[in-house]
Amino acid sequence: MITETSADGLRKQMAEELAGYPSLVTDQILAAVRAVPRHLFVPGVPLAEAYSLDTVITHRDERGVALSSSTGLTTMAGMLKQLDVHPGHRVLEIGAGTGFNAGLLRHLVGPEGSVTTIDILEPAVVEARQHLAAAGLGDVTVVHGDGELGVPENGPYDRIIVTAGASDLPPAWAEQMAPGGRLVVPLRINGLTRAATFERPGGFWRSLDADECGFMPMRGPGQTDEHNLSLRGQTGVVVRTDGGQPLDAALLEGVLDGPTTERWTGAVSGDFANLDFWLAALPGFARVIVMGGGVAAGLVRPMYPWGAMGVVDGDTLAYLTMRSTTSGDAPPYEIGVCAYGPGRDNLVDRLAERVAAWNEEMNGTGDQLWIEVHPHDAEQVPDGMVHVMRRYNQIIVGREPI
Ligand SMILES: C[S@@+](CC[C@H](N)C(=O)[O-])C[C@H]1O[C@@H](n2cnc3c(N)ncnc32)[C@H](O)[C@@H]1O
């Protein structure tokens, strides 16, 4: 039996746990977390789970792919801090989900402000309305529709926050933003996602910061063109690319069964800062995701538990691996490259050379990423490490010293 008292205690406990991440929270965010009862937004979920900092998945499709959730609290708090919400602000959230984050926003904007949230998944919209009403926050407007189009009737907004991975910044978000407004969005570029804060200094968006994060992608006409090729069904090695041509399954058939070429690059690092974006400019950039026991079976040795960045060139695949430079398997690590397929000796060198260039130019510099988003017909755009064309805009990612 759930009692208010036990939910109250857990709510305070959750806020205390969150306070242990001072770089992600403010006193105002913690007060909102203490005030909005998360268990009312995830009914049926055990209290201990509702009051953990973890993501709670609430909807899946018929294949089990997550469609909606209450985002994990550290990610959500970090994005709310980036958003810098003040009392009296008018806020638009894209991706209502359970309505919990809209509830936190409602608390942050106070009685003078307003919150509108939109979701493409109708059951989530119905539920978010019910959850917000149960929490006494029924004056949040919950709209059913495609967040790419925003909600013009309630704008302009001082703040827009997107809680699903976007592959572009559609024109509606600029049109519905008040002068001097701020947008926080998990922006996905070549399969890599950064939660970035954007302002519009002119006719384009420029990021103020960009933090690594993971989010379920936005769905609808603007959704990312992701290609997944499962190399080994049982061991769960999947090659994933974003945009461009689909991978050719026939060419990569059995590629992991052949011989491997391995190169050690001499690049040693503890954090591999922004190595992913550095590599994302390579033609054929991919992520090699290990979903099953591929590592345990000795089939692949990717550098991270989830897999590694890599490159595909027709019938040949290469990805990053690493080895400790200490006796205790601790950082720092040296980066290596494994390649498979007929062109492996060539591809291993191409990837290793790019890692060596990162080592020379970026490793340990503390350089930060910036992202600019310009319309296709912009006359002048800056040079950067990565330049991609999207439906509405061109996106450029560069780096600069802090
Ligand atoms: C991670 S959940 C949002 C979590 C939510 N903010 C919360 O506090 O519970 C992402 C949501 O984005 C929604 N979504 C995906 N594509 C969308 C789109 N094009 N427009 C609006 N919502 C979208 C999904 O249906 C899902 O509910």
Side-chain angles (χ1 to χ4, degrees):
M1 172 79 187
I2 297 173
T3 64
E4 266 309 300
T5 325
S6 60
D8 273 356
L10 287 167
R11 200 155 83 207
K12 286 191 191 111
Q13 209 175 300
M14 182 169 78
E16 264 168 46
E17 213 181 317
L18 195 57
Y21 298 86
S23 64
L24 301 177
V25 290
T26 60
D27 289 346
Q28 291 79 4
I29 293 170
L30 289 176
V33 169
R34 270 184 223 106
V36 182
R38 195 184 191 209
H39 73 278
L40 297 180
F41 292 82
V42 286
V45 168
L47 269 186
E49 204 183 318
Y51 286 106
S52 74
L53 300 184
D54 297 339
T55 298
V56 179
I57 306 281
T58 51
H59 292 268
R60 291 183 188 273
D61 70 8
E62 58 289 345
R63 291 172 305 140
V65 176
L67 292 179
S68 189
S69 66
S70 174
T71 305
L73 266 287
T74 49
T75 302
M76 214 60 269
M79 288 175 67
L80 288 175
K81 188 170 180 182
Q82 287 175 289
L83 197 63
D84 189 31
V85 183
H86 292 271
H89 272 162
R90 300 174 73 83
V91 181
L92 171 65
E93 180 193 41
I94 314 260
T98 62
F100 179 62
N101 189 52
L104 298 178
L105 287 164
R106 187 72 199 85
H107 194 269
L108 290 168
V109 298
E112 306 301 318
S114 71
V115 177
T116 301
T117 184
I118 179 168
D119 206 290
I120 202 164
L121 186 69
E122 195 165 11
V125 171
V126 173
E127 290 161 13
R129 283 189 191 126
Q130 288 166 352
H131 302 158
L132 285 158
L137 302 165
D139 62 349
V140 171
T141 308
V142 189
V143 178
H144 178 219
D146 184 356
E148 274 230 330
L149 306 174
V151 184
E153 56 275 23
N154 289 359
Y157 303 100
D158 303 294
R159 299 288 186 262
I160 300 179
I161 181 168
V162 184
T163 63
S167 57
D168 200 351
L169 307 184
W173 299 352
E175 286 155 17
Q176 293 169 32
M177 183 71 85
R182 182 179 268 219
L183 165 71
V184 173
V185 53
L187 188 60
R188 189 172 157 152
I189 303 158
N190 285 3
L192 308 173
T193 307
R194 293 289 193 272
T197 309
F198 285 97
E199 288 183 340
R200 278 181 77 74
F204 67 97
W205 298 98
R206 164 97 189 177
S207 69
L208 302 176
D209 53 31
D211 296 336
E212 214 166 323
C213 72
F215 259 97
M216 58 181 69
M218 275 184 82
R219 296 187 307 282
Q223 81 185 45
T224 317
D225 204 7
E226 179 183 285
H227 304 294
N228 286 292
L229 177 64
S230 184
L231 290 184
R232 290 282 195 110
Q234 292 309 308
T235 47
V237 179
V238 172
V239 182
R240 180 174 292 170
T241 59
D242 240 33
Q245 290 301 310
L247 295 158
D248 190 330
L251 284 178
L252 285 170
E253 170 82 38
V255 70
L256 294 178
D257 298 328
T260 321
T261 300
E262 187 183 273
R263 281 275 183 286
W264 290 99
T265 63
V268 173
S269 173
D271 62 3
F272 313 112
N274 296 320
L275 174 62
D276 51 358
F277 267 98
W278 181 269
L279 299 178
L282 286 172
F285 175 75
R287 282 168 302 148
V288 178
I289 316 275
V290 185
M291 294 181 172
V295 178
L299 194 63
V300 282
R301 289 172 289 118
M303 69 191 281
Y304 299 120
W306 60 263
M309 287 80 73
V311 176
V312 177
D313 187 356
D315 53 10
T316 303
L317 165 72
Y319 64 81
L320 299 188
T321 185
M322 68 180 188
R323 64 182 174 193
S324 175
T325 56
T326 68
S327 52
D329 198 24
Y333 298 98
E334 181 183 2
I335 305 168
V337 180
C338 295
Y340 307 77
R344 62 187 180 282
D345 290 343
N346 184 288
L347 198 60
V348 86
D349 284 342
R350 260 164 48 204
L351 193 48
E353 274 163 25
R354 186 78 187 154
V355 172
W358 168 83
N359 190 38
E360 198 139 293
E361 290 197 34
M362 206 165 171
N363 189 11
T365 59
D367 284 4
Q368 298 292 302
L369 294 185
W370 54 257
I371 306 171
E372 286 196 8
V373 181
H374 293 257
H376 287 157
D377 58 2
E379 283 184 2
Q380 251 196 326
V381 297
D383 284 335
M385 294 193 289
V386 180
H387 195 151
V388 292
M389 297 307 274
R390 293 300 200 198
R391 211 147 67 110
Y392 304 110
N393 294 294
Q394 41 186 326
I395 303 179
I396 304 118
V397 184
R399 65 194 170 103
E400 67 194 350
I402 38 169

